[in-house]
PDB file of all heavy atoms in Angstrom:
ATOM      1  N   PHE F   1      75.508 139.723 205.334  1.00 88.00           N
ATOM      2  CA  PHE F   1      76.781 139.200 204.840  1.00 88.00           C
ATOM      3  C   PHE F   1      77.950 139.587 205.745  1.00 88.00           C
ATOM      4  O   PHE F   1      79.107 139.593 205.328  1.00 88.00           O
ATOM      5  CB  PHE F   1      77.023 139.646 203.396  1.00 88.00           C
ATOM      6  CG  PHE F   1      76.076 138.984 202.431  1.00 88.00           C
ATOM      7  CD1 PHE F   1      74.990 139.676 201.921  1.00 88.00           C
ATOM      8  CD2 PHE F   1      76.251 137.663 202.069  1.00 88.00           C
ATOM      9  CE1 PHE F   1      74.097 139.071 201.055  1.00 88.00           C
ATOM     10  CE2 PHE F   1      75.379 137.035 201.201  1.00 88.00           C
ATOM     11  CZ  PHE F   1      74.287 137.736 200.691  1.00 88.00           C
ATOM     12  N   ASP F   2      77.654 139.907 206.984  1.00 85.00           N
ATOM     13  CA  ASP F   2      78.634 140.191 208.042  1.00 85.00           C
ATOM     14  C   ASP F   2      79.564 141.364 207.736  1.00 85.00           C
ATOM     15  O   ASP F   2      80.664 141.433 208.262  1.00 85.00           O
ATOM     16  CB  ASP F   2      79.470 138.940 208.368  1.00 85.00           C
ATOM     17  CG  ASP F   2      78.612 137.836 208.964  1.00 85.00           C
ATOM     18  OD1 ASP F   2      77.669 138.170 209.722  1.00 85.00           O
ATOM     19  OD2 ASP F   2      78.874 136.659 208.670  1.00 85.00           O
ATOM     20  N   VAL F   3      79.142 142.264 206.873  1.00 88.00           N
ATOM     21  CA  VAL F   3      79.919 143.483 206.645  1.00 88.00           C
ATOM     22  C   VAL F   3      79.688 144.436 207.811  1.00 88.00           C
ATOM     23  O   VAL F   3      80.609 145.099 208.280  1.00 88.00           O
ATOM     24  CB  VAL F   3      79.538 144.145 205.300  1.00 88.00           C
ATOM     25  CG1 VAL F   3      80.263 145.456 205.117  1.00 88.00           C
ATOM     26  CG2 VAL F   3      79.832 143.202 204.146  1.00 88.00           C
ATOM     27  N   LEU F   4      78.462 144.468 208.305  1.00 85.00           N
ATOM     28  CA  LEU F   4      78.130 145.227 209.507  1.00 85.00           C
ATOM     29  C   LEU F   4      77.903 144.237 210.644  1.00 85.00           C
ATOM     30  O   LEU F   4      77.184 143.257 210.474  1.00 85.00           O
ATOM     31  CB  LEU F   4      76.849 146.055 209.304  1.00 85.00           C
ATOM     32  CG  LEU F   4      76.925 147.193 208.305  1.00 85.00           C
ATOM     33  CD1 LEU F   4      75.552 147.841 208.157  1.00 85.00           C
ATOM     34  CD2 LEU F   4      77.931 148.229 208.757  1.00 85.00           C
ATOM     35  N   PRO F   5      78.488 144.497 211.796  1.00 83.00           N
ATOM     36  CA  PRO F   5      78.330 143.549 212.903  1.00 83.00           C
ATOM     37  C   PRO F   5      76.933 143.641 213.549  1.00 83.00           C
ATOM     38  O   PRO F   5      76.276 144.673 213.496  1.00 83.00           O
ATOM     39  CB  PRO F   5      79.410 143.986 213.895  1.00 83.00           C
ATOM     40  CG  PRO F   5      79.600 145.433 213.615  1.00 83.00           C
ATOM     41  CD  PRO F   5      79.342 145.610 212.143  1.00 83.00           C
ATOM     42  N   ARG F   6      76.514 142.539 214.151  1.00 80.00           N
ATOM     43  CA  ARG F   6      75.269 142.498 214.917  1.00 80.00           C
ATOM     44  C   ARG F   6      75.566 142.841 216.365  1.00 80.00           C
ATOM     45  O   ARG F   6      76.612 142.473 216.881  1.00 80.00           O
ATOM     46  CB  ARG F   6      74.668 141.092 214.912  1.00 80.00           C
ATOM     47  CG  ARG F   6      74.120 140.681 213.631  1.00 80.00           C
ATOM     48  CD  ARG F   6      73.484 139.298 213.817  1.00 80.00           C
ATOM     49  NE  ARG F   6      72.680 139.041 212.663  1.00 80.00           N
ATOM     50  CZ  ARG F   6      71.449 139.517 212.509  1.00 80.00           C
ATOM     51  NH1 ARG F   6      70.888 140.193 213.448  1.00 80.00           N
ATOM     52  NH2 ARG F   6      70.791 139.289 211.410  1.00 80.00           N
ATOM     53  N   LYS F   7      74.625 143.452 217.025  1.00 81.00           N
ATOM     54  CA  LYS F   7      74.786 143.717 218.461  1.00 81.00           C
ATOM     55  C   LYS F   7      74.660 142.415 219.231  1.00 81.00           C
ATOM     56  O   LYS F   7      75.418 142.154 220.153  1.00 81.00           O
ATOM     57  CB  LYS F   7      73.754 144.731 218.936  1.00 81.00           C
ATOM     58  CG  LYS F   7      74.010 146.123 218.408  1.00 81.00           C
ATOM     59  CD  LYS F   7      73.018 147.098 218.967  1.00 81.00           C
ATOM     60  CE  LYS F   7      73.309 148.475 218.380  1.00 81.00           C
ATOM     61  NZ  LYS F   7      72.420 149.476 218.869  1.00 81.00           N
ATOM     62  N   LYS F   8      73.659 141.607 218.849  1.00 81.00           N
ATOM     63  CA  LYS F   8      73.451 140.315 219.496  1.00 81.00           C
ATOM     64  C   LYS F   8      73.294 139.251 218.419  1.00 81.00           C
ATOM     65  O   LYS F   8      72.354 139.319 217.628  1.00 81.00           O
ATOM     66  CB  LYS F   8      72.167 140.333 220.319  1.00 81.00           C
ATOM     67  CG  LYS F   8      72.224 141.112 221.590  1.00 81.00           C
ATOM     68  CD  LYS F   8      70.819 141.214 222.151  1.00 81.00           C
ATOM     69  CE  LYS F   8      70.697 140.721 223.541  1.00 81.00           C
ATOM     70  NZ  LYS F   8      69.316 140.849 224.046  1.00 81.00           N
ATOM     71  N   PRO F   9      74.183 138.300 218.361  1.00 78.00           N
ATOM     72  CA  PRO F   9      74.025 137.239 217.366  1.00 78.00           C
ATOM     73  C   PRO F   9      72.759 136.412 217.666  1.00 78.00           C
ATOM     74  O   PRO F   9      72.448 136.137 218.811  1.00 78.00           O
ATOM     75  CB  PRO F   9      75.277 136.380 217.554  1.00 78.00           C
ATOM     76  CG  PRO F   9      76.239 137.230 218.295  1.00 78.00           C
ATOM     77  CD  PRO F   9      75.430 138.186 219.104  1.00 78.00           C
ATOM     78  N   THR F  10      72.034 136.078 216.609  1.00 80.00           N
ATOM     79  CA  THR F  10      70.849 135.243 216.750  1.00 80.00           C
ATOM     80  C   THR F  10      70.984 134.060 215.806  1.00 80.00           C
ATOM     81  O   THR F  10      71.663 134.156 214.775  1.00 80.00           O
ATOM     82  CB  THR F  10      69.561 136.034 216.415  1.00 80.00           C
ATOM     83  OG1 THR F  10      69.666 136.542 215.098  1.00 80.00           O
ATOM     84  CG2 THR F  10      69.341 137.183 217.382  1.00 80.00           C
ATOM     85  N   PRO F  11      70.317 132.941 216.111  1.00 83.00           N
ATOM     86  CA  PRO F  11      70.500 131.748 215.291  1.00 83.00           C
ATOM     87  C   PRO F  11      70.049 131.911 213.847  1.00 83.00           C
ATOM     88  O   PRO F  11      70.660 131.375 212.937  1.00 83.00           O
ATOM     89  CB  PRO F  11      69.670 130.675 215.990  1.00 83.00           C
ATOM     90  CG  PRO F  11      68.996 131.313 217.138  1.00 83.00           C
ATOM     91  CD  PRO F  11      69.479 132.709 217.256  1.00 83.00           C
ATOM     92  N   HIS F  12      68.988 132.635 213.598  1.00 84.00           N
ATOM     93  CA  HIS F  12      68.482 132.791 212.226  1.00 84.00           C
ATOM     94  C   HIS F  12      68.575 134.244 211.762  1.00 84.00           C
ATOM     95  O   HIS F  12      67.815 134.673 210.901  1.00 84.00           O
ATOM     96  CB  HIS F  12      67.031 132.326 212.144  1.00 84.00           C
ATOM     97  CG  HIS F  12      66.836 130.896 212.548  1.00 84.00           C
ATOM     98  ND1 HIS F  12      67.338 129.854 211.801  1.00 84.00           N
ATOM     99  CD2 HIS F  12      66.233 130.348 213.629  1.00 84.00           C
ATOM    100  CE1 HIS F  12      67.035 128.719 212.402  1.00 84.00           C
ATOM    101  NE2 HIS F  12      66.365 128.989 213.522  1.00 84.00           N
ATOM    102  N   GLY F  13      69.496 134.994 212.305  1.00 83.00           N
ATOM    103  CA  GLY F  13      69.619 136.414 212.003  1.00 83.00           C
ATOM    104  C   GLY F  13      69.881 136.713 210.546  1.00 83.00           C
ATOM    105  O   GLY F  13      69.268 137.603 209.956  1.00 83.00           O
ATOM    106  N   LYS F  14      70.790 135.954 209.926  1.00 86.00           N
ATOM    107  CA  LYS F  14      71.116 136.186 208.515  1.00 86.00           C
ATOM    108  C   LYS F  14      69.921 135.916 207.629  1.00 86.00           C
ATOM    109  O   LYS F  14      69.622 136.685 206.718  1.00 86.00           O
ATOM    110  CB  LYS F  14      72.290 135.310 208.075  1.00 86.00           C
ATOM    111  CG  LYS F  14      73.608 135.729 208.644  1.00 86.00           C
ATOM    112  CD  LYS F  14      74.714 134.854 208.116  1.00 86.00           C
ATOM    113  CE  LYS F  14      76.027 135.248 208.772  1.00 86.00           C
ATOM    114  NZ  LYS F  14      77.148 134.524 208.216  1.00 86.00           N
ATOM    115  N   LEU F  15      69.223 134.835 207.918  1.00 88.00           N
ATOM    116  CA  LEU F  15      68.052 134.476 207.139  1.00 88.00           C
ATOM    117  C   LEU F  15      66.957 135.532 207.288  1.00 88.00           C
ATOM    118  O   LEU F  15      66.328 135.932 206.304  1.00 88.00           O
ATOM    119  CB  LEU F  15      67.529 133.104 207.573  1.00 88.00           C
ATOM    120  CG  LEU F  15      66.405 132.517 206.739  1.00 88.00           C
ATOM    121  CD1 LEU F  15      66.836 132.371 205.289  1.00 88.00           C
ATOM    122  CD2 LEU F  15      65.990 131.166 207.306  1.00 88.00           C
ATOM    123  N   THR F  16      66.755 136.011 208.497  1.00 88.00           N
ATOM    124  CA  THR F  16      65.757 137.053 208.745  1.00 88.00           C
ATOM    125  C   THR F  16      66.125 138.336 208.008  1.00 88.00           C
ATOM    126  O   THR F  16      65.278 138.957 207.366  1.00 88.00           O
ATOM    127  CB  THR F  16      65.631 137.339 210.257  1.00 88.00           C
ATOM    128  OG1 THR F  16      65.260 136.129 210.917  1.00 88.00           O
ATOM    129  CG2 THR F  16      64.606 138.411 210.543  1.00 88.00           C
ATOM    130  N   ASP F  17      67.403 138.720 208.092  1.00 86.00           N
ATOM    131  CA  ASP F  17      67.862 139.930 207.401  1.00 86.00           C
ATOM    132  C   ASP F  17      67.646 139.823 205.895  1.00 86.00           C
ATOM    133  O   ASP F  17      67.165 140.760 205.254  1.00 86.00           O
ATOM    134  CB  ASP F  17      69.340 140.196 207.679  1.00 86.00           C
ATOM    135  CG  ASP F  17      69.602 140.683 209.089  1.00 86.00           C
ATOM    136  OD1 ASP F  17      68.632 141.079 209.777  1.00 86.00           O
ATOM    137  OD2 ASP F  17      70.773 140.665 209.507  1.00 86.00           O
ATOM    138  N   LEU F  18      67.987 138.674 205.326  1.00 89.00           N
ATOM    139  CA  LEU F  18      67.806 138.489 203.880  1.00 89.00           C
ATOM    140  C   LEU F  18      66.331 138.461 203.505  1.00 89.00           C
ATOM    141  O   LEU F  18      65.947 138.994 202.456  1.00 89.00           O
ATOM    142  CB  LEU F  18      68.499 137.216 203.415  1.00 89.00           C
ATOM    143  CG  LEU F  18      70.024 137.284 203.377  1.00 89.00           C
ATOM    144  CD1 LEU F  18      70.615 135.914 203.053  1.00 89.00           C
ATOM    145  CD2 LEU F  18      70.491 138.319 202.370  1.00 89.00           C
ATOM    146  N   GLY F  19      65.496 137.868 204.342  1.00 89.00           N
ATOM    147  CA  GLY F  19      64.050 137.840 204.075  1.00 89.00           C
ATOM    148  C   GLY F  19      63.447 139.235 204.081  1.00 89.00           C
ATOM    149  O   GLY F  19      62.687 139.605 203.172  1.00 89.00           O
ATOM    150  N   VAL F  20      63.793 140.025 205.082  1.00 88.00           N
ATOM    151  CA  VAL F  20      63.277 141.395 205.161  1.00 88.00           C
ATOM    152  C   VAL F  20      63.849 142.229 204.017  1.00 88.00           C
ATOM    153  O   VAL F  20      63.134 143.030 203.396  1.00 88.00           O
ATOM    154  CB  VAL F  20      63.590 142.030 206.541  1.00 88.00           C
ATOM    155  CG1 VAL F  20      63.218 143.498 206.560  1.00 88.00           C
ATOM    156  CG2 VAL F  20      62.869 141.274 207.649  1.00 88.00           C
ATOM    157  N   ALA F  21      65.118 142.025 203.702  1.00 86.00           N
ATOM    158  CA  ALA F  21      65.730 142.754 202.578  1.00 86.00           C
ATOM    159  C   ALA F  21      65.040 142.395 201.268  1.00 86.00           C
ATOM    160  O   ALA F  21      64.827 143.261 200.412  1.00 86.00           O
ATOM    161  CB  ALA F  21      67.227 142.455 202.497  1.00 86.00           C
ATOM    162  N   ALA F  22      64.654 141.130 201.101  1.00 90.00           N
ATOM    163  CA  ALA F  22      63.951 140.717 199.880  1.00 90.00           C
ATOM    164  C   ALA F  22      62.600 141.425 199.776  1.00 90.00           C
ATOM    165  O   ALA F  22      62.215 141.898 198.699  1.00 90.00           O
ATOM    166  CB  ALA F  22      63.764 139.206 199.866  1.00 90.00           C
ATOM    167  N   ILE F  23      61.883 141.514 200.877  1.00 89.00           N
ATOM    168  CA  ILE F  23      60.589 142.211 200.880  1.00 89.00           C
ATOM    169  C   ILE F  23      60.787 143.684 200.538  1.00 89.00           C
ATOM    170  O   ILE F  23      60.060 144.251 199.722  1.00 89.00           O
ATOM    171  CB  ILE F  23      59.882 142.042 202.242  1.00 89.00           C
ATOM    172  CG1 ILE F  23      59.468 140.579 202.420  1.00 89.00           C
ATOM    173  CG2 ILE F  23      58.676 142.976 202.358  1.00 89.00           C
ATOM    174  CD1 ILE F  23      59.011 140.233 203.821  1.00 89.00           C
ATOM    175  N   LEU F  24      61.788 144.309 201.155  1.00 82.00           N
ATOM    176  CA  LEU F  24      62.075 145.717 200.857  1.00 82.00           C
ATOM    177  C   LEU F  24      62.495 145.883 199.402  1.00 82.00           C
ATOM    178  O   LEU F  24      62.139 146.874 198.756  1.00 82.00           O
ATOM    179  CB  LEU F  24      63.159 146.254 201.785  1.00 82.00           C
ATOM    180  CG  LEU F  24      62.767 146.415 203.257  1.00 82.00           C
ATOM    181  CD1 LEU F  24      63.974 146.849 204.079  1.00 82.00           C
ATOM    182  CD2 LEU F  24      61.632 147.388 203.411  1.00 82.00           C
ATOM    183  N   GLY F  25      63.246 144.924 198.888  1.00 85.00           N
ATOM    184  CA  GLY F  25      63.658 144.978 197.483  1.00 85.00           C
ATOM    185  C   GLY F  25      62.459 144.964 196.546  1.00 85.00           C
ATOM    186  O   GLY F  25      62.410 145.708 195.560  1.00 85.00           O
ATOM    187  N   VAL F  26      61.475 144.135 196.862  1.00 85.00           N
ATOM    188  CA  VAL F  26      60.251 144.085 196.049  1.00 85.00           C
ATOM    189  C   VAL F  26      59.517 145.428 196.130  1.00 85.00           C
ATOM    190  O   VAL F  26      59.077 145.972 195.116  1.00 85.00           O
ATOM    191  CB  VAL F  26      59.336 142.922 196.500  1.00 85.00           C
ATOM    192  CG1 VAL F  26      57.970 143.028 195.871  1.00 85.00           C
ATOM    193  CG2 VAL F  26      59.982 141.585 196.174  1.00 85.00           C
ATOM    194  N   LEU F  27      59.386 145.972 197.341  1.00 79.00           N
ATOM    195  CA  LEU F  27      58.712 147.268 197.500  1.00 79.00           C
ATOM    196  C   LEU F  27      59.428 148.371 196.721  1.00 79.00           C
ATOM    197  O   LEU F  27      58.785 149.200 196.065  1.00 79.00           O
ATOM    198  CB  LEU F  27      58.626 147.655 198.982  1.00 79.00           C
ATOM    199  CG  LEU F  27      57.687 146.826 199.840  1.00 79.00           C
ATOM    200  CD1 LEU F  27      57.844 147.206 201.313  1.00 79.00           C
ATOM    201  CD2 LEU F  27      56.252 147.018 199.391  1.00 79.00           C
ATOM    202  N   LEU F  28      60.744 148.380 196.786  1.00 78.00           N
ATOM    203  CA  LEU F  28      61.511 149.390 196.049  1.00 78.00           C
ATOM    204  C   LEU F  28      61.356 149.207 194.542  1.00 78.00           C
ATOM    205  O   LEU F  28      61.215 150.186 193.808  1.00 78.00           O
ATOM    206  CB  LEU F  28      62.984 149.335 196.443  1.00 78.00           C
ATOM    207  CG  LEU F  28      63.314 149.892 197.817  1.00 78.00           C
ATOM    208  CD1 LEU F  28      64.726 149.495 198.232  1.00 78.00           C
ATOM    209  CD2 LEU F  28      63.157 151.400 197.828  1.00 78.00           C
ATOM    210  N   THR F  29      61.371 147.963 194.088  1.00 79.00           N
ATOM    211  CA  THR F  29      61.213 147.690 192.657  1.00 79.00           C
ATOM    212  C   THR F  29      59.862 148.175 192.166  1.00 79.00           C
ATOM    213  O   THR F  29      59.756 148.826 191.123  1.00 79.00           O
ATOM    214  CB  THR F  29      61.381 146.184 192.377  1.00 79.00           C
ATOM    215  OG1 THR F  29      62.674 145.785 192.833  1.00 79.00           O
ATOM    216  CG2 THR F  29      61.236 145.875 190.906  1.00 79.00           C
ATOM    217  N   VAL F  30      58.817 147.859 192.916  1.00 74.00           N
ATOM    218  CA  VAL F  30      57.475 148.310 192.544  1.00 74.00           C
ATOM    219  C   VAL F  30      57.415 149.834 192.516  1.00 74.00           C
ATOM    220  O   VAL F  30      56.853 150.432 191.597  1.00 74.00           O
ATOM    221  CB  VAL F  30      56.421 147.730 193.513  1.00 74.00           C
ATOM    222  CG1 VAL F  30      55.074 148.398 193.331  1.00 74.00           C
ATOM    223  CG2 VAL F  30      56.300 146.230 193.320  1.00 74.00           C
ATOM    224  N   THR F  31      58.016 150.477 193.496  1.00 69.00           N
ATOM    225  CA  THR F  31      58.022 151.944 193.554  1.00 69.00           C
ATOM    226  C   THR F  31      58.711 152.536 192.327  1.00 69.00           C
ATOM    227  O   THR F  31      58.192 153.460 191.716  1.00 69.00           O
ATOM    228  CB  THR F  31      58.732 152.436 194.829  1.00 69.00           C
ATOM    229  OG1 THR F  31      58.022 151.965 195.966  1.00 69.00           O
ATOM    230  CG2 THR F  31      58.804 153.949 194.876  1.00 69.00           C
ATOM    231  N   PHE F  32      59.866 151.991 191.960  1.00 66.00           N
ATOM    232  CA  PHE F  32      60.603 152.563 190.843  1.00 66.00           C
ATOM    233  C   PHE F  32      59.973 152.256 189.491  1.00 66.00           C
ATOM    234  O   PHE F  32      59.964 153.096 188.612  1.00 66.00           O
ATOM    235  CB  PHE F  32      62.061 152.102 190.860  1.00 66.00           C
ATOM    236  CG  PHE F  32      62.868 152.734 191.946  1.00 66.00           C
ATOM    237  CD1 PHE F  32      63.512 151.957 192.889  1.00 66.00           C
ATOM    238  CD2 PHE F  32      62.970 154.101 192.047  1.00 66.00           C
ATOM    239  CE1 PHE F  32      64.255 152.541 193.906  1.00 66.00           C
ATOM    240  CE2 PHE F  32      63.703 154.704 193.059  1.00 66.00           C
ATOM    241  CZ  PHE F  32      64.346 153.910 193.995  1.00 66.00           C
ATOM    242  N   PHE F  33      59.426 151.065 189.311  1.00 65.00           N
ATOM    243  CA  PHE F  33      58.871 150.713 188.008  1.00 65.00           C
ATOM    244  C   PHE F  33      57.449 151.209 187.798  1.00 65.00           C
ATOM    245  O   PHE F  33      57.021 151.395 186.674  1.00 65.00           O
ATOM    246  CB  PHE F  33      58.966 149.209 187.749  1.00 65.00           C
ATOM    247  CG  PHE F  33      60.358 148.776 187.440  1.00 65.00           C
ATOM    248  CD1 PHE F  33      61.068 148.015 188.341  1.00 65.00           C
ATOM    249  CD2 PHE F  33      60.979 149.158 186.269  1.00 65.00           C
ATOM    250  CE1 PHE F  33      62.367 147.631 188.069  1.00 65.00           C
ATOM    251  CE2 PHE F  33      62.273 148.785 185.982  1.00 65.00           C
ATOM    252  CZ  PHE F  33      62.980 148.013 186.887  1.00 65.00           C
ATOM    253  N   ASN F  34      56.720 151.425 188.853  1.00 57.00           N
ATOM    254  CA  ASN F  34      55.373 151.978 188.711  1.00 57.00           C
ATOM    255  C   ASN F  34      55.399 153.489 188.681  1.00 57.00           C
ATOM    256  O   ASN F  34      54.399 154.119 188.424  1.00 57.00           O
ATOM    257  CB  ASN F  34      54.460 151.523 189.856  1.00 57.00           C
ATOM    258  CG  ASN F  34      53.949 150.136 189.649  1.00 57.00           C
ATOM    259  OD1 ASN F  34      54.005 149.615 188.544  1.00 57.00           O
ATOM    260  ND2 ASN F  34      53.447 149.530 190.704  1.00 57.00           N
ATOM    261  N   GLY F  35      56.522 154.074 188.972  1.00 50.00           N
ATOM    262  CA  GLY F  35      56.600 155.524 189.037  1.00 50.00           C
ATOM    263  C   GLY F  35      55.986 156.002 190.338  1.00 50.00           C
ATOM    264  O   GLY F  35      55.485 155.238 191.140  1.00 50.00           O
ATOM    265  N   ARG F  36      56.041 157.268 190.532  1.00 48.00           N
ATOM    266  CA  ARG F  36      55.498 157.864 191.736  1.00 48.00           C
ATOM    267  C   ARG F  36      54.008 158.046 191.584  1.00 48.00           C
ATOM    268  O   ARG F  36      53.558 158.696 190.651  1.00 48.00           O
ATOM    269  CB  ARG F  36      56.137 159.236 191.987  1.00 48.00           C
ATOM    270  CG  ARG F  36      57.616 159.153 192.123  1.00 48.00           C
ATOM    271  CD  ARG F  36      57.942 158.893 193.524  1.00 48.00           C
ATOM    272  NE  ARG F  36      59.371 158.779 193.654  1.00 48.00           N
ATOM    273  CZ  ARG F  36      59.941 158.479 194.761  1.00 48.00           C
ATOM    274  NH1 ARG F  36      59.242 158.269 195.818  1.00 48.00           N
ATOM    275  NH2 ARG F  36      61.232 158.367 194.833  1.00 48.00           N
ATOM    276  N   ALA F  37      53.264 157.513 192.491  1.00 52.00           N
ATOM    277  CA  ALA F  37      51.821 157.733 192.484  1.00 52.00           C
ATOM    278  C   ALA F  37      51.572 159.099 193.114  1.00 52.00           C
ATOM    279  O   ALA F  37      51.872 159.319 194.264  1.00 52.00           O
ATOM    280  CB  ALA F  37      51.123 156.647 193.273  1.00 52.00           C
ATOM    281  N   ASP F  38      51.114 160.003 192.311  1.00 66.00           N
ATOM    282  CA  ASP F  38      50.825 161.350 192.779  1.00 66.00           C
ATOM    283  C   ASP F  38      49.386 161.388 193.258  1.00 66.00           C
ATOM    284  O   ASP F  38      48.509 160.744 192.699  1.00 66.00           O
ATOM    285  CB  ASP F  38      51.037 162.328 191.616  1.00 66.00           C
ATOM    286  CG  ASP F  38      50.926 163.778 192.026  1.00 66.00           C
ATOM    287  OD1 ASP F  38      50.563 164.069 193.174  1.00 66.00           O
ATOM    288  OD2 ASP F  38      51.208 164.638 191.175  1.00 66.00           O
ATOM    289  N   ALA F  39      49.143 162.159 194.302  1.00 70.00           N
ATOM    290  CA  ALA F  39      47.789 162.284 194.837  1.00 70.00           C
ATOM    291  C   ALA F  39      46.822 162.791 193.775  1.00 70.00           C
ATOM    292  O   ALA F  39      45.629 162.527 193.838  1.00 70.00           O
ATOM    293  CB  ALA F  39      47.797 163.235 196.032  1.00 70.00           C
ATOM    294  N   TRP F  40      47.325 163.483 192.782  1.00 81.00           N
ATOM    295  CA  TRP F  40      46.472 164.064 191.744  1.00 81.00           C
ATOM    296  C   TRP F  40      46.285 163.130 190.553  1.00 81.00           C
ATOM    297  O   TRP F  40      45.585 163.468 189.609  1.00 81.00           O
ATOM    298  CB  TRP F  40      47.037 165.409 191.307  1.00 81.00           C
ATOM    299  CG  TRP F  40      47.007 166.369 192.448  1.00 81.00           C
ATOM    300  CD1 TRP F  40      48.033 166.691 193.277  1.00 81.00           C
ATOM    301  CD2 TRP F  40      45.871 167.081 192.930  1.00 81.00           C
ATOM    302  NE1 TRP F  40      47.606 167.557 194.244  1.00 81.00           N
ATOM    303  CE2 TRP F  40      46.281 167.824 194.046  1.00 81.00           C
ATOM    304  CE3 TRP F  40      44.548 167.165 192.520  1.00 81.00           C
ATOM    305  CZ2 TRP F  40      45.412 168.632 194.760  1.00 81.00           C
ATOM    306  CZ3 TRP F  40      43.685 167.987 193.231  1.00 81.00           C
ATOM    307  CH2 TRP F  40      44.116 168.705 194.338  1.00 81.00           C
ATOM    308  N   ASP F  41      46.890 161.933 190.571  1.00 81.00           N
ATOM    309  CA  ASP F  41      46.770 160.995 189.461  1.00 81.00           C
ATOM    310  C   ASP F  41      45.479 160.185 189.488  1.00 81.00           C
ATOM    311  O   ASP F  41      45.105 159.606 188.488  1.00 81.00           O
ATOM    312  CB  ASP F  41      47.959 160.023 189.439  1.00 81.00           C
ATOM    313  CG  ASP F  41      49.221 160.674 188.908  1.00 81.00           C
ATOM    314  OD1 ASP F  41      49.125 161.747 188.288  1.00 81.00           O
ATOM    315  OD2 ASP F  41      50.299 160.110 189.129  1.00 81.00           O
ATOM    316  N   GLY F  42      44.805 160.128 190.622  1.00 81.00           N
ATOM    317  CA  GLY F  42      43.558 159.381 190.718  1.00 81.00           C
ATOM    318  C   GLY F  42      42.422 160.118 190.028  1.00 81.00           C
ATOM    319  O   GLY F  42      42.539 161.288 189.655  1.00 81.00           O
ATOM    320  N   ASP F  43      41.310 159.416 189.841  1.00 83.00           N
ATOM    321  CA  ASP F  43      40.146 160.015 189.174  1.00 83.00           C
ATOM    322  C   ASP F  43      39.691 161.289 189.876  1.00 83.00           C
ATOM    323  O   ASP F  43      39.429 162.304 189.229  1.00 83.00           O
ATOM    324  CB  ASP F  43      38.985 159.024 189.114  1.00 83.00           C
ATOM    325  CG  ASP F  43      39.229 157.912 188.108  1.00 83.00           C
ATOM    326  OD1 ASP F  43      40.040 158.116 187.185  1.00 83.00           O
ATOM    327  OD2 ASP F  43      38.606 156.847 188.253  1.00 83.00           O
TER     328      ASP F  43
END
């Protein structure tokens, strides 16, 4: 959202940033809602 500047502008930079952010958002959501998987939680 152009709050932080890019070093080199790219044609699809915003789309790439949002795509990667969406993937990270899913990973973070799964981490927070599943709780911390402790090594001792397995069988």
Side-chain angles (χ1 to χ4, degrees):
F1 291 103
D2 295 324
V3 176
L4 293 176
R6 289 184 166 278
K7 290 183 181 181
K8 287 171 125 180
T10 58
H12 301 293
K14 288 182 183 185
L15 187 59
T16 301
D17 288 346
L18 287 174
V20 173
I23 292 169
L24 291 175
V26 169
L27 290 173
L28 286 167
T29 302
V30 168
T31 298
F32 288 122
F33 286 110
N34 281 343
R36 301 272 179 184
D38 187 353
W40 296 98
D41 284 344
D43 287 337

